[in-house]
């Protein structure tokens, strides 16, 4: 039995009816036992809505995330780098496919999700609203943004909603190859000529704040963490994931003799906590609400892709007989 209906983003939201307390208690007991919730199981309307929001944003992030690196496929330095980057970008689009399918199990159609992306109603990850100015940006994205995504996705793949967790498990396998690809380019540049090192250092300086933003606002500002963690959609808070990332990757960056643009950044050896300058959250909110350096360009590219692909979708769905060759 489906619990609660899907309310389109932006639609006048009817006041949610109180959930049946007995069903709610059974649902929460299943989650506490570590069971997976499947699409046809009863679920509270708020759980469904939160999952759609989060999985949809994740799917959009994969599809828009393929754009900054995608601009380097034609300019990759060498054939092997080009092949690897092409395969990586293709994987990211494949992740979007998996995630849109997972979100569809909750009742929102792919068409509605894509429309909400193009119209700017749905969000996607802040980091993809910045340009990839040099080849070193590809190294930073492939190494550090994929690493940040893995920290988030490995945790959430142990969550409660079956289709999302299964998609995340598969995505994490592929992301770990992406991380190796990014790490290989990163180390190559870090150990290259002074000009290559300098290009990498500059890319790192540009990307550091967006990467700190990637995990979401600090826990005291986060709107959804408490509910999502209670229902095991999110398995760690934004601050905990940020700390995990710093702990795993700052030493790897410093080891290569590179610096990070934060004079406060250090590990407090007594608590094990990383101390850092609070990133500018006004900038973050501006970027995720449509006013970053590349938001308009990213959505415009997506819109053109949708328009140009319309005939393919029509042919595949057999909605337009003109494009379908009858089988012999
Ligand atoms: N960017 O209450 P909070 C990849 C929004 S792609 C934009 O803490 P929550 C890759 C948040 O939506 C993988 N918006 O939110 C691809 C909320 O606004 P709304 C990307 C953000 O959901 C290509 C508001 O801020 N990963 O790997 O509890 C190449 C308050 O935040 C962001 C995912 O998408 C952000 N960074 O936690 C290379 C992971 N952070 O919706 C690599 C899936 C927060 O109320 N998502 N907001 O208007 C998540 O795990 C969680 O949604 C977050 C945020 C941890 C990001």
């Amino acid at each position: 039995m489906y619990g609660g209906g899907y309310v389109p983003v932006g639609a006048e939201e009817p006041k949610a009816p109180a959930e049946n307390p007995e069903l709610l208690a059974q649902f929460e007991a299943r989650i506490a036992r570590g069971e997976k919730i499947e699409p046809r199981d009863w679920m509270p309307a708020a759980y469904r809505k939160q999952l759609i929001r989060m999985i949809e944003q994740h799917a959009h992030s994969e599809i828009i995330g393929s754009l900054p690196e995608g601009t380097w496929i034609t300019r990759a330095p060498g054939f092997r780098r080009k092949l690897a980057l092409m395969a990586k970008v293709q994987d990211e689009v494949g992740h979007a496919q998996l995630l849109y399918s997972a979100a569809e199990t909750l009742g929102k159609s792919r068409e509605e999700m894509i429309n909400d992306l193009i119209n700017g109603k749905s969000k996607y990850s802040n980091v993809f609203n910045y340009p990839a100015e040099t080849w070193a940006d590809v190294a930073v994205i492939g190494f550090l943004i994929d690493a940040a995504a893995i920290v988030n996705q490995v945790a959430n793949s142990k969550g409660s909603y079956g289709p999302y967790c299964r998609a995340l498990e598969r995505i994490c396998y592929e992301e770990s190859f992406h991380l190796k690809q990014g790490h290989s380019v990163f180390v190559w540049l870090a150990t290259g000529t002074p000009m290559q090192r300098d290009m990498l250092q500059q890319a790192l300086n540009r990307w550091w704040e967006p990467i700190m933003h990637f995990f979401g606002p600090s826990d005291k500002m986060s709107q959804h963490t408490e509910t999502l963690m209670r229902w095991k959609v999110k398995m760690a808070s934004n601050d905990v994931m940020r700390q995990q990332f710093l702990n795993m990757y700052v030493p790897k960056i410093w080891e290569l003799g590179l610096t990070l643009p934060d004079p406060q950044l250090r590990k407090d050896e007594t608590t094990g906590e990383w101390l850092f300058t609070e990133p500018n959250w006004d900038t973050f909110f501006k970027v995720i609400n449509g006013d970053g350096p590349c938001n308009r360009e990213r959505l415009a590219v997506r819109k053109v892709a949708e328009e140009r692909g319309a005939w393919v979708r029509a042919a595949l769905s057999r909605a337009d007989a003109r494009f379908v060759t009858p089988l012999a």
Side-chain angles (χ1 to χ4, degrees):
M1 176 173 59
Y2 285 107
Y6 152 67
V7 178
V9 179
E12 186 69 22
E13 223 172 288
K15 204 167 163 38
E19 298 290 357
N20 177 325
E22 211 174 302
L23 290 174
L24 186 60
Q26 284 169 14
F27 170 84
E28 294 199 327
R30 288 188 65 193
I31 296 212
R33 287 196 295 272
E35 286 176 32
K36 294 281 185 234
I37 306 298
E38 296 298 337
R40 292 193 173 276
D41 295 345
W42 186 89
M43 62 184 81
Y47 177 83
R48 181 185 299 277
K49 196 173 159 195
Q50 281 285 355
L51 272 170
I52 292 176
R53 178 190 67 83
M54 202 168 121
I55 304 175
E56 178 183 358
Q57 283 180 11
H58 191 166
H60 297 331
S61 304
E62 300 281 358
I63 214 164
I64 298 284
S66 68
L67 298 177
E69 288 170 290
T71 61
W72 279 93
I73 291 174
T74 53
R75 297 173 286 166
F79 190 60
R80 283 182 56 202
R81 292 290 189 212
K82 187 193 288 280
L83 274 182
L85 184 60
M86 213 154 54
K88 191 227 177 194
V89 166
Q90 181 179 288
D91 281 354
E92 304 295 359
V93 178
H95 297 169
Q97 283 279 22
L98 289 173
L99 292 162
Y100 283 126
S101 300
E104 277 183 316
T105 63
L106 292 153
K108 183 168 182 179
S109 75
R110 189 170 301 217
E111 207 171 30
E112 286 172 289
M113 290 187 260
I114 299 283
N115 281 340
D116 286 344
L117 167 66
I118 291 173
N119 299 334
K121 285 186 190 162
S122 295
K123 292 191 169 68
Y124 56 88
S125 185
N126 68 299
V127 282
F128 303 119
N129 289 308
Y130 294 86
E133 289 178 16
T134 68
W135 174 245
D137 295 51
V138 173
V140 174
I141 298 172
F143 179 33
L144 297 176
I145 294 184
D146 279 274
I150 291 174
V151 167
N152 169 291
Q153 289 162 187
V154 166
N156 291 344
S157 69
K158 313 280 184 308
S160 63
Y161 188 58
Y164 188 37
C165 296
R166 289 188 286 274
L168 287 180
E169 269 179 32
R170 158 111 186 249
I171 291 170
C172 285
Y173 287 127
E174 293 185 355
E175 296 290 21
S176 45
F177 278 103
H178 299 172
L179 187 138
K180 285 190 202 305
Q181 178 257 354
H183 185 245
S184 162
V185 180
F186 196 92
V187 172
W188 183 268
L189 295 177
T191 55
T193 64
M195 204 188 257
Q196 285 173 317
R197 270 182 75 81
D198 184 51
M199 182 171 74
L200 182 62
Q201 182 62 63
Q202 286 180 34
L204 206 45
N205 296 347
R206 281 196 298 280
W207 283 93
W208 189 245
E209 187 168 73
I211 291 174
M212 293 293 279
H213 287 153
F214 177 87
F215 298 95
S218 59
D219 289 354
K220 56 182 185 299
M221 295 162 78
S222 167
Q223 285 166 255
H224 306 294
T225 298
E226 200 188 324
T227 315
L228 291 178
M229 286 191 69
R230 192 174 76 243
W231 283 334
K232 295 191 184 167
V233 172
K234 216 165 144 173
M235 299 300 281
S237 76
N238 301 355
D239 285 341
V240 167
M241 287 189 284
R242 203 169 359 252
Q243 283 287 330
Q244 265 180 29
F245 171 82
L246 292 172
N247 207 30
M248 288 169 78
Y249 292 96
V250 173
K252 293 189 193 338
I253 297 167
W254 282 347
E255 201 173 82
L256 289 163
L258 297 158
T259 59
L260 289 164
D262 178 358
Q264 310 291 336
L265 186 65
R266 69 180 176 85
K267 188 173 183 174
D268 179 336
E269 292 301 340
T270 48
T271 62
E273 288 277 298
W274 281 83
L275 306 172
F276 53 84
T277 311
E278 196 65 19
N280 185 329
W281 292 111
D282 291 340
T283 307
F284 168 78
F285 284 111
K286 204 171 139 201
V287 171
I288 67 169
N289 286 312
D291 201 12
C294 295
N295 299 58
R296 288 166 196 80
E297 179 189 328
R298 300 282 182 248
L299 293 188
V301 169
R302 196 58 239 153
K303 192 160 185 272
V304 168
E306 265 326 281
E307 285 163 5
R308 291 199 183 146
W311 71 272
V312 180
R313 289 191 300 281
L316 288 176
S317 67
R318 296 179 178 241
D320 188 334
R322 281 176 307 160
F323 296 114
V324 179
T325 313
L327 293 173

